[in-house]
Amino acid sequence: MSEDMALFHFAADVTPIARAWLATLKSERRLAAKTLEAYISDLTQFGGFLQEHLGEAASISLLAGLDASDFRSFLARRRNDGIESRSLARQLSAIRSFFRHAERNGHFKCAALAAVRTPKIPHSVPRPLTEDQSHKLVTDVVLEQDEAWIQARDMAVLTLLYGCGLRISEALGLTVKQSEQNPLVIIGKGGKERLVPMVPAAVEAITAYRKLAPMPLLPSMPLFRGAKGGALSPRIIQLLMERLRGAMNLPDSATPHALRHSFASHLLGNGADLRVIQDLLGHASLSSTQIYTEVNRKHLLEQYRKAFPKA
């Protein structure tokens, strides 16, 4: 890391503080070289902005006198430059770190920074599998070391995740009695109840598993059981997905939750209404469903062409 990179566009009395901050990050927090370079870039951009914004290089007294609007103006400028929320949040984190260092070491304090909110980072969801990958996954659950009933159980669980869009906790929380109902009555987040139709493949998979299960499956008992007879742990399904990724050459995005995401994305891609998908997923707001299904421009344009009156 070159010392020449750490000029930061600040006034002469601030540059030594910035250098000491970097040295602390390197020695005490042991940040990687690329992370340190990112922090240098973040603070340099902030210093350059202040030089333009204030009309001069920021000194200790100017930094101490900044108000919340100054920081927000910097974030707005970066947003206008096309910087996304995740990068903005990192930049603000670097700035906070520098200002905390300055305060701890008695150089200056800027109370206004505490009033600046971190940009909201959009909820991320796993990338969906393709339809071919999803179908292959739920129809070819065969790993040689597994007993036949365990293979049938695993296929039933994966079919519920993809074919019905259930969360893994919802699938493993089903009782035997619940599984006999179609549509399923699912109690989701916040105790909210929803109805989820079971596709024929899911009904067949559950029936096959129940026929092979070596333990009694009474109505009030958990439907899916572990090898020792207790309720099946989510970790078992997570490990199963790891093994299947290797056996079937699937991408790293093939996780249990990715199957729920694939369910929603494939419904959307085949013309299902977002409101219907929202109900099936149990989302409280449509905005959650829009993020979850990654509404794409192609689909929106197709819907626009269908709905817009022809001249």
Side-chain angles (χ1 to χ4, degrees), residues 49-66:
F49 165 80
L50 288 179
Q51 191 169 27
E52 178 184 342
H53 182 65
L54 301 173
E56 60 182 294
S59 62
I60 287 177
S61 60
L62 287 176
L63 289 177
L66 293 176

Side-chain angles (χ1 to χ4, degrees), residues 7-12 14-15 18 43-44 46-48 50 57-59 63 98:
L7 297 177
F8 302 111
H9 300 303
F10 289 131
V14 178
T15 301
L43 201 61
T44 298
F46 182 59
L50 288 179
S59 62
L63 289 177
F98 169 64

